[in-house]
Amino acid sequence: MRAYLPAYELQRPASLDEALRLLASAPGEWRPFAGGTDLMVLLEAGKLEHRKFFSIWHLDELRGIEETIEHITLGALTTYTELQSNETMRREFPMLCVAASETGAIAIQNRGTLGGNIANASPAADSPPALIVYGAELELVSARGARWIAYEGFHTAYKQMRMEPDELISRIRLPRASAGDNWKQYYRKVGTRKAQAISKICFAGAARLGDGQIEEARISMGSVAPTVVSCTKTASILRGRRVNKETIGAAQGEMKKEIVPIDDLRSTADYRLQVSLNLLEDFLLSLER
Amino acid sequence: MQTRFIGKPMPRKEGREKVTGRARYIDDITMPGMLFGATVRSPVPRGRIKEIRFDPQIPWDEFTIVTAQDVPGSNYVALIVNDQPYLADRLVNHAEEPVLLLAHTDKYLLEEARRAVRLEIEPLPPVFTLDESDEKKEIIWGEDNVFKSFLVEKGNVDDVWAGADFIVEGEYRTGAQEQLYIETNGVIAVANPEEGVTVWGSMQCPYYVHKALIKLFNLPEDKIRVVQTETGGGFGGKEEYPSMIAGHAALLAWKSGKPVKIIYDRAEDMAATTKRHPSRTRHRTAVTRDGRLLGMEIDFVVDGGAYATLSAVVLSRGTIHAAGPYNCPNVRIRSRAVATNVPPHGAFRGFGAPQSIFALERHMNKVARAVGLSPEEFRRRNFIREGETTATSQVIREAVDMQRLVERAFELSDYRDKQERFARENESARVKRGVGFASFMHGAGFTGSGEKYLQSIVGAEATPEGRVRILAANTEIGQGTNTIFAQIAAEALGLDFEQIEVAQPDTANVPNSGPTVASRTTMIVGKLVESAALSLRQTLQNSKLLADSYSPEDFSRACRDYLAKYGQLKSFSQYKQPAEIDWDDEKYRGDAYGAFAWAVYVAEVSVDTLTFEARVEDFVAVQEVGRVINPTMAAGQIEGGVAQGIGYTLFENVVWRGGRMINNQMTNYIIPTTADIPPIRVHFEEMPYEHGPGGAKGIGELPMDGAAPAILNAIENATGLELNQIPLMPEQLMEAFRGEHA
Amino acid sequence: MPEATEKERSGKVVVRCTVNGRDAELSGFPMARLLDVLREELKLTGTKEGCGEGECGACSVFINGKIVNSCLVPLMQVEGARVVTIEGIASDEQLNAIQEAFIETGGAQCGICTPGMVMAAVNLLDRNSEPTESDIRAGLAGNLCRCTGYMKIFEAVVRACQHSGVKR
């Protein structure tokens, strides 16, 4: 343990309202602390710069999975374990369930939360590409009220998010139409080992076909840019095309412009680019399988 | 031979304590008034220390602070060459080199303080790779950067090139590897001028630490006591390094007058302690048209890091194993260990042999291809047999049959069928599959005259309960020392397994039976356990307290009677080298090892051409290791070694930047999980070895040797790619695929 | 109470929970790792630290029946929780079937990962009494072992299922 523990605070507000009041009392001074699977690692390494936190782990207002005809709504504290064990999630949003099952091992999945994963804003996180493909929306709450925003575009730069300092992510909503039976889904995480690896590339894609043509496609990738990337141009040039060599080439050409992978201690820019293109090809070919 | 314990899967002696969490490791122990110690390390790879600054925010008067000036004796870690300081004085030679020590009761404040010490170091030009060191543009150690070199000569290799039908050359490289025992290094020390120095800790070799502390404190040997606590894995990583951390804790204890505990966290353990030596091997081989080896010229270089530590002996073992289990009339092996400005590399299971065997077993495939033979047919024509000689001209006196091991391994792995099937299916498959194998040997015990110099002693004593307690300095580090020793002694004496105890290794209580390294504990020390036990029985029988024929109860009674009469009963046995072993240290020729274990390992792999990920899908390990004392534990050794070998080959990549390991976290230095290890199928062939206890030979290091070449040979079979460097990460595999299609 | 004031001044908190079925009052800094509090305050040293970042599983404990890495749980978050450690797995001298099987098959070597591995295996069998090989691999994937190559650990889990199969 390299942190100087006496310098850290962790409050335990009695309710969500109290938590929001604490947030509002001095915006930016207090930050939420959920399952701790990212923050505790930083603390241990002596790299957790922020010192004042409040725990939200015990706030039942932030838990639970609700289903309506149009949406599945997940409390921000939905753990990876809870997410995967929900029948509807497994049936309609399998990419998110696979992402959850490939994030750490069971002990991590019991503590890691979807809201925490979003707020931690790591470009290597496993769930954001799936969330983007599913057209997820976030509910942000504050003492001032609540608002829904699209998740796509939420991360604006490395570790930067489109939310106010007094706001908290409270729910994540997935439109069920985004993943109906006529959508084919493809998710692949490339890590260094089979279990509990941090991704080197994470690919999520979905497409709807009609008459042998791609009517609509969505593609998102992790670990290939400072934030999760929504490959909108790549997806849009696929519209109205059949899967063939030209289509694959054109899509790969677009993707090259949309991602900016780097060298780091886990992999190389070269590898990330090549494998991204390979996965794109495999995704497109999978539409025909 | 009918046995009661030898060859039986006796349960681990300390198993119950381990599965319940009651086993006490060093970090589970505290002492009244104990301080925590921390090490301030150099941030730069090479330079002159100009100044040490202390941030005034910290209450320094509460801290014990130790620098090189506080060393009471000699400021070096006594081992082979005494070049490594406990605390850098004027010069630092690698990043993470210890410069200053701190101790305090509050471990959180201690970390603040560690960050608040600023080392001003004027940088000197560093050398980071063995190639740079070998080129000698910058001299960083001695006169030529060379810690040690060897020359092995057999026949005259210079004469073979002209008459060779084929000459095949190749270059092979291996990377560093972290031992990654799950328990990090740790010790507790108590030290003062009256009582001397006592250290408890996680270690393989209490007497190495003992020797080092004698010099560090300039105290007589009876004033130094070293006790091994339950040790959570070593693999060589706790062979020499504990002398360093023990010295540090003892220096802080000496100055503060209080017990001091130092436990490294994972980041510090990975960044600062030893790893496997990176290596480069160059082969030049002459063969006849019909695939007979004529001559082998081998150049083997290992990167020793900044100080000599054990590099000379790692190099020695790597050198001797470099020509493998083949009969070749003319061999020349030149080797050297060179200095670089990275933390010293050290002992790691296999000790140089995995490096040179990787090179050889990749190269043998290349030679086979040049000659137009299959890898197995080429090897078959050259395998060493009884009466033939190794590279050091050691005559093989065992009835070794490598070809039988190949056949057994092929049969168990379905090698031939798979090879055929994969070749057919790979054409159109996105995931390519392949099989490959490696054949190799590993010498047990210290090299050459090493065991003669060690003069190991083991004791056996009768306890008041009428049991027999084994006194040895060899440590239980997971490999089963306690259990194996108890099996050997119980068998020799005809007692029950429970009647044998194994003493905690404590230099105040056990004789020096040598270090727990080099696959020597069972074969060499186990034999001494047997003879010490027998000698104890002889004493009882001579005293007429025990008849020639006796029951376990009779034996217990005799022990108790003896103690009542004479006070104590201890017998000792000292190593005597078998008469036929003949080794010339000058020429590096002769009987390098008392015995070899022989093995053939087969790997099956898949290579995904989409992501360039290679996976091991199946693994078969066949070996001849003399008599197996405990089949469960022996198989456990092989499986664990193979898993480490798979990690070495495909996962474990030490990422260096400026001479520092920057992926020093378990999150970023990847070892295999349960999901990554294929079924490992272990098969033993047993030919009793006359000088081993119950016929056993050493096996601990053997399984580390075979996985890497077998896997890369399998990848070659799957993809046609010749890959000669490990670790082989998907990034390199991608480049190789591109090269192929360019 | 003077003690409470002392704790307040030091920034420490007192948290109430149960550990191995007994009520416990744990005191420490709110961000203190549960791992350290168990080991230092309660002397439950069977829970080990291997990496301090949730990667190796040596510090596995159960909180409210779920397996977690105790190095990643701050003390403040165990208020009101049921914590079970390796010391709570065997009842007196009667080992759990998993522990027996680890001894029989050679699933423990150096032993440092063993408490965490036993916790993971017990947790796996609690969730799934007849795991397939791939269930076992997935269930134990958060627990790193450097000694065994995992084969004997898989064997132990299979054997424990066979032994306790009737009871389940």
Side-chain angles (χ1 to χ4, degrees), chain B residues 9 11-12 14-16 18-25 27-30 36 107-108 177-184 230-235 261 265-267 348-349 476-479 631-633 635-637 639-641 643-644 647 652 664-680, chain C residues 12 29 31-33 36 39-40 43-58 86-95 98-115 117-118 133 136-155:
Chain B
R12 176 172 290 278
E14 74 291 355
R16 199 178 170 92
K18 284 178 171 172
V19 301
T20 53
R22 284 203 293 261
R24 306 263 282 164
Y25 297 80
D27 199 22
D28 303 337
I29 297 167
T30 57
F36 297 97
K107 58 182 178 181
Y108 301 123
Q177 184 187 18
E178 165 59 36
Q179 292 88 356
L180 217 92
Y181 31 69
I182 306 293
E183 180 205 30
T184 55
E230 199 72 69
T231 296
F235 317 114
K261 178 192 259 191
D265 68 7
R266 182 59 60 185
F348 191 161
R349 194 180 205 167
E476 169 63 62
I477 55 174
Q479 82 290 41
T632 300
M633 290 186 178
Q637 283 297 294
E639 290 157 3
Q644 288 177 355
E652 301 182 32
N664 56 331
Q665 292 172 277
M666 279 200 187
T667 312
N668 290 318
Y669 180 83
I670 304 297
I671 66 167
T673 68
T674 52
D676 300 295
I677 296 296
I680 301 168
Chain C
K12 288 191 178 178
F29 293 108
M31 280 284 205
R33 305 183 297 181
D36 294 329
R39 290 175 53 84
E40 292 164 15
K43 311 292 177 212
L44 294 174
T45 55
T47 303
K48 306 298 182 189
E49 174 168 358
C51 69
E53 53 180 0
E55 198 73 14
C56 77
I86 184 69
E87 288 86 354
I89 292 300
S91 46
D92 297 324
E93 287 310 295
Q94 181 59 49
L95 299 185
I98 284 283
Q99 291 171 313
E100 293 282 7
F102 265 67
I103 295 175
E104 287 167 19
T105 63
Q109 287 192 23
C110 84
I112 195 82
C113 78
T114 308
M117 197 65 86
V118 167
E133 189 193 317
I136 297 173
R137 285 174 179 270
L140 304 182
N143 293 74
L144 298 176
C145 170
R146 192 59 155 167
C147 290
T148 62
Y150 304 112
M151 297 298 123
K152 303 276 181 253
I153 292 173
F154 298 160
E155 251 179 81

Side-chain angles (χ1 to χ4, degrees), chain B residues 325 383-384 400-407 439-440 598-600:
Chain B
F383 277 139
I384 200 164
V400 54
D401 188 349
M402 289 297 288
Q403 190 54 32
R404 194 178 70 208
L405 300 184
V406 169
E407 291 304 330
S439 42
F440 55 101
W598 310 89
V600 174

Side-chain angles (χ1 to χ4, degrees), chain B residues 478-500:
Chain B
Q479 82 290 41
T481 301
N482 290 343
T483 313
I484 302 290
F485 282 0
Q487 285 180 259
I488 291 169
E491 187 74 48
L493 298 177
L495 300 182
D496 292 336
F497 186 60
E498 292 70 27
Q499 272 175 288
I500 310 295

Side-chain angles (χ1 to χ4, degrees), chain B residues 143-157:
Chain B
E143 286 168 9
D144 55 2
N145 291 344
V146 177
F147 291 127
K148 184 76 183 177
S149 63
F150 292 108
L151 174 62
V152 172
E153 291 262 23
K154 175 187 180 186
N156 189 345
V157 82

Side-chain angles (χ1 to χ4, degrees), chain B residues 46-73:
Chain B
R46 186 170 173 233
R48 273 192 199 86
I49 302 173
K50 288 293 173 193
E51 201 190 342
I52 302 176
R53 286 215 299 267
F54 295 86
D55 184 329
Q57 304 278 330
I58 301 291
W60 293 109
D61 55 341
E62 295 175 10
F63 283 79
T64 302
I65 302 174
V66 166
T67 67
Q69 276 63 50
D70 295 300
V71 172

